[in-house]
Amino acid sequence: MAEKKVAVVTGTSSGIGLHTAVGLARAGVQVVATMRDTGMAGPLLAEAAGQGVEIAVRGLDVTDRAGAVRCLDEVAEEYGPVGILVNNAGQCIAGTLEELDDAALQHMLDVNYLGVAALTRHVLPSMREAGAGRIVTVSSNGAAHGEPFLDAYCGSKFAVEGLMQSLAPVAARFGVAVSVVEPAFTATKMTENMDFSRVFGPDDPYNGLAENFARHANGLMAQAQPAAEAAAVVVEAAMTDSPRFRWQTSEAARELVGLSISDLDGGNVISAMSTWLD
Ligand code: NAP
């Protein structure tokens, strides 16, 4: 029997990551689900048990770079080389630039960009040597267009897509497919916890705008996609025989990404850039 592929998924204590881990296990992959605090694994393990699959759990904080790569090494030692890396872990700090200090901007980059870069760099050598591998990063519609009061978050998501899009044609030459998955509003802890009123004091000049935006965001939340549905697209991006660069998880995401980008599956850019390598 062929050995199972090994997948590492980050940020699996909740939301899209939790359902991605279970979905990959259902697809026959050996999943190592990682999270900052393994004491939070209850909902993941309950979902896995309900779906009749087993999942290994390991501690991994993407901002602890040394600990994160140590975890990847331990996974490779125990299960074999990582064939699929799903960079799902993410955070969102709200606010317009005047309200975002350097620490907030740096934190968004640490979690959503630098952590992703470090993990990806660490698994690339073994994937390259194997001539196969999948790097799937959960980015956002906010990686394709800016969103009011999400300046730091969108900046970090633009950054991670730029990194991945640059890497994709080069990694493809070694059999490694690089993809980004762009959900729009999805019903998870991240969106539940978004409270724009918390960011602004009573005399803040941005209050009116923030209230309007919060009203708009709440309207979108009412139609939010279930996390399991968004995760199914992440699983497809990781497992498909026809990998592509860019995936949206819903019609709403396609509409939003399409405001800024006409190359919805990323094929045009990757093909054009690939010719620069010949
Ligand atoms: P979520 O339920 O809050 O999940 C985020 C996960 O990331 C949590 O499990 C969280 O774990 C983990 N995490 C946070 N900081 C981490 C760190 N430093 N190291 C490791 N794990 C960390 O929200 P979600 O919506 O499923 O988010 C998943 C991805 O989807 C994110 O990249 C997000 O940007 C993206 N996304 C979400 C939406 C949306 O509307 N929900 C839209 C577009 C894109 P803890 O339990 O430790 O906090």
Side-chain angles (χ1 to χ4, degrees):
M1 205 173 71
E3 276 190 16
K4 279 185 168 187
K5 275 188 194 165
V6 177
V8 170
V9 185
T10 64
T12 59
S13 63
S14 59
I16 298 171
L18 181 158
H19 290 284
T20 296
V22 175
L24 285 171
R26 279 173 59 88
V29 172
Q30 169 62 61
V31 175
V32 182
T34 68
M35 58 189 72
R36 284 195 284 192
D37 174 2
T38 53
M40 303 294 282
L44 168 73
L45 294 176
E47 181 68 19
Q51 303 263 348
V53 290
E54 280 185 16
I55 286 178
V57 176
R58 291 279 186 287
L60 189 159
D61 181 333
V62 299
T63 64
D64 168 13
R65 249 48 108 212
V69 300
R70 199 163 50 244
C71 174
L72 290 177
D73 288 342
E74 285 167 9
V75 169
E77 227 166 80
E78 187 166 350
Y79 298 99
V82 176
I84 301 170
L85 173 66
V86 180
N87 293 306
N88 164 77
Q91 287 182 32
C92 180
I93 295 178
T96 187
L97 184 58
E98 278 190 62
E99 278 124 355
L100 296 164
D101 59 14
D102 281 355
L105 294 170
Q106 184 64 52
H107 185 66
M108 284 292 86
L109 288 175
D110 268 346
V111 178
N112 296 336
Y113 173 64
L114 294 170
V116 173
L119 265 65
T120 302
R121 185 172 52 217
H122 201 71
V123 298
L124 272 171
S126 62
M127 289 185 178
R128 191 169 38 70
E129 280 157 25
R134 296 288 168 92
I135 310 283
V136 180
T137 299
V138 181
S139 60
S140 173
N141 63 295
H145 66 93
E147 299 175 88
F149 298 105
L150 293 175
D151 308 20
Y153 176 74
C154 291
S156 67
K157 292 291 188 179
F158 267 62
V160 83
E161 281 213 6
L163 173 81
M164 290 299 163
Q165 196 169 37
S166 300
L167 175 63
V170 176
R173 296 300 175 103
F174 297 94
V176 180
V178 174
S179 303
V180 295
V181 178
E182 300 168 325
F185 266 76
T186 310
T188 66
K189 202 172 70 183
M190 181 178 285
T191 37
E192 276 161 28
N193 291 344
M194 252 186 218
D195 177 4
F196 293 98
S197 61
R198 263 201 335 241
V199 179
F200 307 95
D203 301 325
D204 195 300
Y206 294 105
N207 272 344
L209 297 176
E211 270 163 38
N212 291 346
F213 176 65
R215 201 176 53 249
H216 185 76
N218 288 338
L220 289 173
M221 258 319 286
Q223 308 154 36
Q225 180 176 37
E229 208 178 280
V233 178
V234 183
V235 172
E236 190 184 351
M239 300 301 292
T240 179
D241 290 332
S242 315
R244 61 182 208 241
F245 179 67
R246 184 174 268 126
W247 301 73
Q248 295 81 37
T249 65
S250 61
E251 200 41 50
R254 269 183 291 281
E255 262 177 44
L256 287 167
V257 172
L259 291 174
S260 200
I261 288 175
S262 61
D263 186 18
L264 280 181
D265 68 4
N268 294 346
V269 172
I270 301 297
S271 303
M273 291 303 106
S274 193
T275 65
W276 291 14
L277 297 171
D278 293 322

